[in-house]
Amino acid sequence: MGTVFAIVLVFVGCCSNVVFLELLVREFPGCGNLVTFAQFAFIALEGFIFETDFGRKKPAIPIRNYVIMVAMFFTVSVINNYSLHFNIAILVAVICISSSLCRYPASKYLAIALVSVGIFICTIMSAKQLNVANEGSEEQGFYAIMHWLIGIAMLTFALLMSARMGIFQETLYKQYGKHSKEALFYNHCLPLPGFLLLYTNIYNYCVYFSQSAPVVIPVVGVTMPIMWLYLLINVITQYVCIRGVFILTTECTSLTVTLVVTLRKFFSLIFSIIYFQNPFTAWHWVGTAVVFLGTLLYTEVWSSIRMVLHGPDAKKKKAE
């Protein structure tokens, strides 16, 4: 039951989180820093109360190691948010963020190549759509393409940084043991002072959110700006999503966790396309399929299925 409950949390939490993120970004494309700050603050507060017992519990992994991890984690989060300022469609961002795989040896190179090809197809097709949208002025079209390329470069850098962070995290877990909930708390608590550097941006979007149309919450009868309501639901669903992943890591193998998260991203993508009627050509579908094919190959799903079908002989052959 624990596994089933965790999978439900992951799919419900993460898929609904993507929907409300798109509702926020469609209205205010630059609100990513405010969204990230709200998510970090909520998860840090929950961890401070329930994980660290109001700061009385000492960390199992030294703080200096968390500082390094947090620097990478904060950088990745902020760069992913800022990429949306550069004409990056949120679907392309989801595909890129879903593909952080490049952290293992040579046996995984084919999977990484497939993921890279898939992302390349999606980004090129998005560039063509951008060019068509700006074909009225050659100068405007050139500026839009250059603006878009900067966004792609930011996503690429964030992808590589995310991979490096994964290697560092695995090294820490091997040395000190797995402390996923502790890492979750420190990854979200320690970066909070860094948001002071983004104070102006966050404050401006707080003002914009407060000026959005008011809406009445049905059950409690409270009136609040609709963008704040979207943000509140986004933060809660983000917590549900991360909590589900955490439970899943304690109940299942890493392979199962990776497969569930990958399938969740795929369903989030499809739901977003259908619900928001996002432009998605046949080539976008091809690129997406190649990305997820590479991800499944990377997680060795095919080998696992073969083992289940052929039983002990397949396991023995692999061991040899």
Side-chain angles (χ1 to χ4, degrees):
M1 285 299 296
T3 303
V4 174
F5 178 66
I7 292 174
V8 171
L9 287 181
V10 170
F11 273 85
V12 173
C14 299
C15 291
S16 54
N17 179 262
V18 169
V19 171
F20 284 97
L21 176 62
E22 181 145 357
L23 287 171
L24 291 165
V25 171
R26 275 175 170 248
E27 190 69 26
F28 296 105
C31 71
N33 290 326
L34 173 58
V35 174
T36 303
F37 171 72
Q39 292 174 351
F40 275 43
F42 181 84
I43 294 171
L45 178 61
E46 187 275 340
F48 180 72
I49 297 171
F50 297 104
E51 171 61 21
T52 69
D53 191 20
F54 294 93
R56 290 193 287 265
K57 180 183 175 183
K58 292 183 178 180
I61 299 175
I63 291 292
R64 64 179 181 275
N65 291 316
Y66 279 125
V67 170
I68 299 172
M69 188 190 305
V70 160
M72 291 187 282
F73 183 62
F74 181 75
T75 302
V76 168
S77 298
V78 171
I79 289 178
N80 280 330
N81 288 335
Y82 267 114
S83 69
L84 296 174
H85 282 275
F86 293 87
N87 297 329
I88 300 294
I90 192 167
L91 293 179
V92 174
V94 168
I95 293 169
C96 290
I97 295 168
S98 299
S99 61
S100 52
L101 303 177
C102 45
R103 54 175 86 162
Y104 288 113
S107 61
K108 308 295 183 182
Y109 281 170
L110 176 58
I112 295 169
L114 286 173
V115 169
S116 301
V117 169
I119 293 173
F120 178 77
I121 292 172
C122 288
T123 51
I124 288 298
M125 294 310 299
S126 295
K128 286 185 176 181
Q129 289 180 345
L130 190 65
N131 200 25
V132 169
N134 292 280
E135 63 181 1
S137 169
E138 185 176 341
E139 184 177 345
Q140 288 180 351
F142 175 78
Y143 174 77
I145 290 294
M146 292 304 297
H147 205 59
W148 177 83
L149 287 174
I150 293 173
I152 292 298
M154 293 171 72
L155 280 177
T156 303
F157 177 80
L159 185 62
L160 295 174
M161 179 69 77
S162 178
R164 182 64 187 90
M165 183 178 69
I167 296 171
F168 183 71
Q169 191 170 0
E170 287 181 7
T171 303
L172 290 182
Y173 285 166
K174 286 180 182 178
Q175 185 175 354
Y176 298 101
K178 290 189 175 182
H179 303 279
S180 301
K181 199 171 182 185
E182 178 185 289
L184 181 66
F185 165 70
Y186 284 105
N187 274 340
H188 289 81
C189 178
L190 293 180
L192 288 178
F195 285 100
L196 291 173
L197 300 173
L198 309 170
Y199 166 78
T200 304
N201 178 270
I202 292 173
Y203 174 77
N204 288 338
Y205 282 99
C206 283
V207 173
Y208 297 152
F209 277 28
S210 298
Q211 294 172 346
S212 61
V215 62
V216 179
I217 303 175
V219 179
V220 294
V222 176
T223 301
M224 66 185 302
I226 191 168
M227 298 306 293
W228 283 115
L229 179 61
Y230 288 160
L231 179 61
L232 176 63
I233 299 174
N234 177 270
V235 168
I236 293 172
T237 53
Q238 174 72 4
Y239 174 75
V240 171
C241 173
I242 290 181
R243 184 66 175 166
V245 172
F246 168 74
I247 296 173
L248 206 59
T249 57
T250 61
E251 297 282 340
C252 307
T253 63
S254 59
L255 174 63
T256 304
V257 175
T258 305
L259 179 59
V260 170
V261 172
T262 301
L263 289 174
R264 189 278 303 170
K265 290 170 181 174
F266 183 69
F267 283 112
S268 295
L269 189 65
I270 292 176
F271 183 79
S272 178
I273 294 165
I274 295 172
Y275 185 80
F276 291 103
Q277 298 181 342
N278 287 309
F280 217 67
T281 66
W283 280 108
H284 282 99
W285 280 113
V286 171
T288 303
V290 173
V291 167
F292 286 101
L293 176 63
T295 303
L296 292 176
L297 180 62
Y298 176 85
T299 56
E300 298 181 347
V301 170
W302 317 122
S303 300
S304 300
I305 294 174
R306 209 161 37 240
M307 283 185 184
V308 172
L309 293 176
H310 297 287
D313 292 337
K315 293 181 181 179
K316 184 178 179 182
K317 186 175 180 181
K318 185 175 182 181
E320 292 172 354

